[in-house]
Amino acid sequence: MASWNGASASELRRIAETWLAKFNEALRERDYTRVSSMVHADGYWRDLLTFGWNFRNLHGVDNIREWLAEAFELNAADDFRLESEPTIGAIGEHDRTLEFFFTFDTGIAGGRGHARLVAISNSPDGLKAFTILTAVMELKKYPQATARNRARDDLRVVSRELENWRDRRNKARQFKDKDPEVVIIGGGQSGLMLAARLGQLNVSTLVVERTERVGDVWRNRYHSLQLHNEICMNHFAYLPFPDTWPVYIPKDKLADWLEFYAETMELNVWTKTLFLSGEYSNLAKRWTVRLRLADGSTRTMQPGHVVLAVGVSGLPSIPDFEGKDDFGGKIVHSSGNTDDLNVRDKSVLVVGAGTSGHDIAQHLHWRGANVTMLQRSSITVVSLEPSSVRPYELYRQNDGIRPITDTDLIAASVPYPLLARLHRPLSRKMAEDDKDLLDGLRKIGFLIDNGEDDTGYFLKLLRYQAGYYLNIGASELLIEGKIKLKVAVEIKRLEARRVIFSDGSALEADIIVLATGYKPLQEGVRAMFGDEVADRVGPIWGIGDDGELNNMYARTAQEGFYVAGGGIPGARAYSHYTALLIKAALEGLISSRPSTPHTEQKNAPAPVTLTELHYA
Ligand SMILES: Cc1cc2nc3c(=O)[nH]c(=O)nc-3n(C[C@H](O)[C@H](O)[C@H](O)COP(=O)(O)OP(=O)(O)OC[C@H]3O[C@@H](n4cnc5c(N)ncnc54)[C@H](O)[C@@H]3O)c2cc1C
């Protein structure tokens, strides 16, 4: 049995190199039985674009062998080499793993990977991979213009067309005589980071943003908002935040950063521009998109690719209430402006108990309102510390030590099905640590769950970005009765100044804030692109049968159509792959339509119980 207890750095390196050489040899010989036998019976392989231009994750030896036999035959890779010093880590029940990055070559692309080996007593060489990640990093013919490959102007040609950098920038962003290759709808963090990545690949890109200034999506959110997760995981692609910034970024600071990012990354953003509609021509392989510009005129463009980056959906979910027109007070959705409401001594009903519901209720309480929160169904509540930070311990430990691209790869090496397994015990541990908080909430009747499959808040965040609250103080206000609670009832009807609930009870109300979330993003697609495109694309977000997010960041069943979005970490990490997919399609390396539909893994082994999350 292999052991690396007390092994020196050079011995660890030799162990990793030897394993990788065998792995490479077996792949070169197309001996997929041998390759898969190097994987743990309960092991995972995740691939990001290398073997089929899609995101795949496979679990178990048989699935990996069958997949390789098909995918590797079409897109082979070679030259697997250790990249840097291996480290000792741990994951779940495996309390000692040997972990390392490696590089590889597919002919058209250069890739990086990450492996976690575990010691196995009954294996001849004693080592099996528990996780393998392979990911495309660059298209060899079309490298990013970054670092050593940064753009170099010839300084000696002083009279060149009498244009300086500013002139060229102004011209580029106008798109006067030429349409962009890519139109990104939405200039939030997702749209901007993807535009930055496409820019580095020399793809002409226009971002259209309906608000007045880049960053307004954050500026317009409620007054008290700060990011709920720490700065360590929120750095932007190519441009980390300064060391002087605080741990929790205030929304207006982030808003200004978005504006600065758009300028400094030389992004072409048209603000006050509304995306109206888009139709795709299968013949021309181009979209016809209509935009309403800042001056009220309409511009039609014909890009090859369109990316939807409008956030949660752009369409607030607003329930219809009987008697709505009779209500004499104000009704506002949480996406609207709640800051300008005159709330002192007013009775306010906040409908919805997600993050926005809690934050707005708390903020209104501080501003002197008498607040009642209406909770219809259960949510997951965790303390900000110690619990909410546990899932991203990896980012906390590596902040300022490793490049964030490396940390993103380590995070990506844990596919969603494995992440769900790891989060069952972890979320239970969080609930134990938060016992006092949760008991306090239960005592007042607040409905609490631990996620649909007992995986806690983090999987909810990854799947839907909804259904949880990281407590920044509203829970205590509820427990102390400073914010009142109404549970498990619906609004039956509204009267002039009263809300009548389904249990017959009533509440005097001057203002109703609907923190009722957003319509599914597929409905946003429907509104902008029509039924055919929306039905072809299908549901967006959620984890599909194949263990990957549905239609996020990857090619969709609609040619030339992609969806970007979500929290900053996902937007940063996965914009890299969306940009490569678009560049590869533009250069004729792939069709922009997915070659294989997502399929279910039929005979994946039953996962063993992993007792603890620990993947630093
Ligand atoms: C209370 C709260 C707390 C949060 N905390 C965190 C956190 O801690 N960490 C984190 O990473 N994220 C956090 N988020 C952000 C969350 O991840 C959001 O989902 C995020 O804003 C998504 O970014 P995005 O770029 O995908 O979309 P958005 O930021 O919503 O940007 C979409 C943009 O598209 C524009 N748009 C929409 N429709 C059109 C159209 N037809 N034409 C032109 N433009 C259009 C909008 O104006 C907007 O600017 C929080 C959000 C909220 C509300």
Side-chain angles (χ1 to χ4, degrees), residues 143-299:
Q144 292 191 60
T146 51
R148 283 194 211 152
N149 193 36
R150 62 174 81 238
R152 178 185 288 274
D153 276 353
D154 190 344
L155 284 178
R156 289 165 304 172
V157 190
V158 284
S159 67
R160 184 172 38 146
E161 296 167 31
L162 295 175
E163 272 187 348
N164 72 359
W165 169 84
R166 171 65 63 199
D167 301 326
R168 289 196 295 279
R169 275 296 301 129
N170 287 341
K171 201 161 142 189
R173 92 171 89 212
Q174 282 169 4
F175 290 104
K176 256 195 182 144
D177 316 315
K178 206 171 157 242
D179 289 347
E181 277 300 344
V182 181
V183 168
I184 298 177
I185 314 164
Q189 64 223 19
S190 305
L192 295 181
M193 280 195 266
L194 178 59
R197 301 233 190 239
L198 287 166
Q200 296 312 300
L201 289 167
N202 202 20
V203 174
S204 93
T205 303
L206 171 66
V207 180
V208 293
E209 168 53 53
R210 67 182 170 191
T211 59
E212 194 161 341
R213 285 169 63 193
V214 171
D216 277 353
V217 65
W218 284 99
R219 281 185 202 95
N220 295 340
R221 285 178 178 155
Y222 47 87
H223 199 68
S224 58
L225 179 62
Q226 301 190 197
L227 285 193
H228 290 38
N229 51 24
E230 296 184 1
I231 192 166
C232 58
M233 68 189 309
N234 287 327
H235 297 294
F236 274 42
Y238 307 115
L239 202 61
F241 299 119
D243 285 348
T244 53
W245 277 37
V247 170
Y248 295 109
I249 304 175
K251 58 144 187 143
D252 294 290
K253 199 168 174 64
L254 184 65
D256 291 349
W257 176 264
L258 256 62
E259 206 168 26
F260 160 73
Y261 187 81
E263 267 314 303
T264 206
M265 296 307 296
E266 304 190 8
L267 310 183
N268 305 315
V269 186
W270 289 4
T271 51
K272 290 200 261 179
T273 300
L274 183 67
F275 181 93
L276 296 173
S277 65
E279 288 113 48
Y280 191 71
S281 159
N282 285 320
L283 215 60
K285 303 276 175 216
R286 296 215 151 251
W287 290 93
T288 298
V289 303
R290 285 194 321 120
L291 310 173
R292 180 165 324 117
L293 311 189
D295 62 4
S297 65
T298 306
R299 165 105 183 239

Side-chain angles (χ1 to χ4, degrees), residues 600-611:
E600 207 173 335
Q601 291 179 45
K602 291 183 198 75
N603 48 353
V608 296
T609 308
L610 298 176
T611 47

Side-chain angles (χ1 to χ4, degrees), residues 88-129:
I88 300 292
I91 184 165
E93 63 176 10
H94 302 291
D95 54 11
R96 224 169 147 70
T97 54
L98 182 67
E99 306 190 0
F100 50 88
F101 285 100
F102 56 85
T103 57
F104 60 89
D105 190 328
T106 72
I108 59 167
R112 284 182 84 197
H114 181 269
R116 272 186 193 85
L117 306 187
V118 293
I120 295 288
S121 48
N122 59 0
S123 152
D125 53 6
L127 285 170
K128 301 250 183 197

